[in-house]
Amino acid sequence: GGMLVAAVIKYADNVLKGMATGVSVVTATFFSTVLFGTTLSTQFAVGAGIILVSVYLFSNDLPAACGGGKNKLKGEEKLEMKPMLPK
């Protein structure tokens, strides 16, 4: 458990780790429902839907009509954050 979490955080970011945890809970519950006949509450079903939609939105670019996409306005620069701590 701990070594796997450390490897995920090293190669990904903390938001991605949280989303992977949410997807794993939804997937495990789906298989539990299919294989063992576990009943789900409405509250869990809504939460699972929110998790899946948020993972989809996080992993895909927004359409250009919504202000996302790869099209940039003229003169728009890519902003980079400077490190807070000196090297």
Side-chain angles (χ1 to χ4, degrees), residues 15-66:
V15 174
L16 188 61
K17 178 194 152 297
M19 290 190 171
T21 302
V23 170
S24 69
V25 168
V26 171
T27 305
T29 304
F30 171 75
F31 283 114
S32 176
T33 302
V34 171
L35 297 175
F36 306 119
T38 306
T39 58
L40 301 178
S41 67
T42 305
Q43 185 177 6
F44 184 87
V46 169
I50 290 172
I51 289 172
L52 295 175
V53 168
S54 67
V55 169
Y56 175 79
L57 292 175
F58 182 76
S59 61
N60 295 308
D61 287 337
L62 289 174
C66 295

